[in-house]
Amino acid sequence: ASPHIHPVEGCRPGDLCSACGLGKYYEGGDRKKLSFQGSTPVQVERHIQKTLRCNRCGHERMNHIRVDKWTPGARSAIIIQKLYGTPWHRLSRIQKLGGVPIAASTLYGQSKIVWEDSAKAIFQALYQRAANSRWWFSDDTGNKILSVMAQNKLLEESQRRACHTTAICALEGDFKINLYVTTNQYCLENLEKLLEKR
């Protein structure tokens, strides 16, 4: 954030010194003070459009301003909180406690927009680069994804219903790519799909 500048009141460069009455003031070094503020991850700004209304015909006039309801910074704050372990429902409660209530479904929806706009393409590029690497390390984790588990309930009993998140680490020189793939398939099967992209 840009700093708040507090000019010297009642005095300008070139004025006589109030202490000795002989010298003149010039611009000295700035003194810095910090004030730490607490806030919710997502802040809100309210914009109020004043209107003028004709008392005869009812015509209204106002300034037409463009306001982005969701800024990239707000969406980034949501995603960073999620990546570092804050579930949607908990982040929603934190927002409500801070006086800026946002539903968990809205938080999810905003992060999904980022996925569709850019993150999906980045993942696909990293996936392709990982496929072309020379070294891989992979293992299954116990992490569950609700959407995969919901799809599993629709499967027949003879079909595999396991939900696995495979962690794949690809090394290319000093460059390391960590991918997480959640499917009903095991580690070797997910790695085989990756290698098909070579």
Side-chain angles (χ1 to χ4, degrees):
S2 57
H4 296 281
I5 308 297
H6 301 277
V8 179
E9 294 180 359
C11 187
R12 295 185 301 182
D15 288 353
L16 284 175
C17 174
S18 60
C20 70
L22 299 172
K24 292 184 178 180
Y25 286 114
Y26 65 93
E27 289 198 14
D30 294 338
R31 305 290 192 272
K32 297 181 178 74
K33 287 188 176 181
L34 299 176
S35 174
F36 293 93
Q37 308 289 324
S39 66
T40 54
V42 179
Q43 290 293 297
V44 65
E45 284 184 357
R46 292 193 174 136
H47 299 267
I48 297 173
Q49 286 179 277
K50 294 290 189 180
T51 63
L52 293 175
R53 185 180 176 93
C54 174
N55 65 359
R56 184 165 181 168
C57 69
H59 177 258
E60 280 191 342
R61 292 192 62 168
M62 72 177 83
N63 288 334
H64 293 283
I65 58 171
R66 186 178 181 275
V67 176
D68 292 328
K69 186 170 183 179
W70 288 95
T71 64
R75 289 180 176 140
S76 297
I78 293 168
I79 292 168
I80 288 169
Q81 291 291 319
K82 178 64 175 171
L83 288 176
Y84 282 90
T86 307
W88 302 123
H89 67 90
R90 191 174 301 152
L91 181 55
S92 178
R93 289 180 66 187
I94 291 170
Q95 287 292 140
K96 187 175 181 181
L97 286 171
V100 187
I102 303 174
S105 58
T106 303
L107 294 168
Y108 167 77
Q110 293 305 312
S111 63
K112 189 176 181 184
I113 288 171
V114 175
W115 169 256
E116 295 294 339
D117 284 352
S118 57
K120 186 176 182 180
I122 294 169
F123 176 82
Q124 289 169 344
L126 289 172
Y127 194 85
Q128 184 62 55
R129 185 159 181 180
N132 294 327
S133 298
R134 295 182 62 195
W135 300 96
W136 305 273
F137 302 92
S138 62
D139 195 9
D140 283 329
T141 73
N143 192 33
K144 309 290 185 190
I145 300 296
L146 294 178
S147 59
V148 175
M149 294 173 71
Q151 291 171 3
N152 288 346
K153 291 179 182 178
L154 303 175
L155 298 175
E156 297 178 9
E157 287 188 19
S158 59
Q159 294 176 295
R160 187 189 299 171
R161 294 185 176 189
C163 177
H164 302 281
T165 295
T166 299
I168 300 173
C169 178
L171 297 177
E172 188 178 329
D174 292 335
F175 193 74
K176 182 167 69 173
I177 301 171
N178 293 319
L179 300 173
Y180 299 92
V181 182
T182 303
T183 61
N184 290 339
Q185 297 179 316
Y186 293 104
C187 172
L188 189 59
E189 295 168 315
N190 286 322
L191 191 57
E192 188 178 11
K193 276 192 170 182
L194 176 74
L195 295 179
E196 287 173 1
K197 296 288 185 180
R198 286 175 74 81

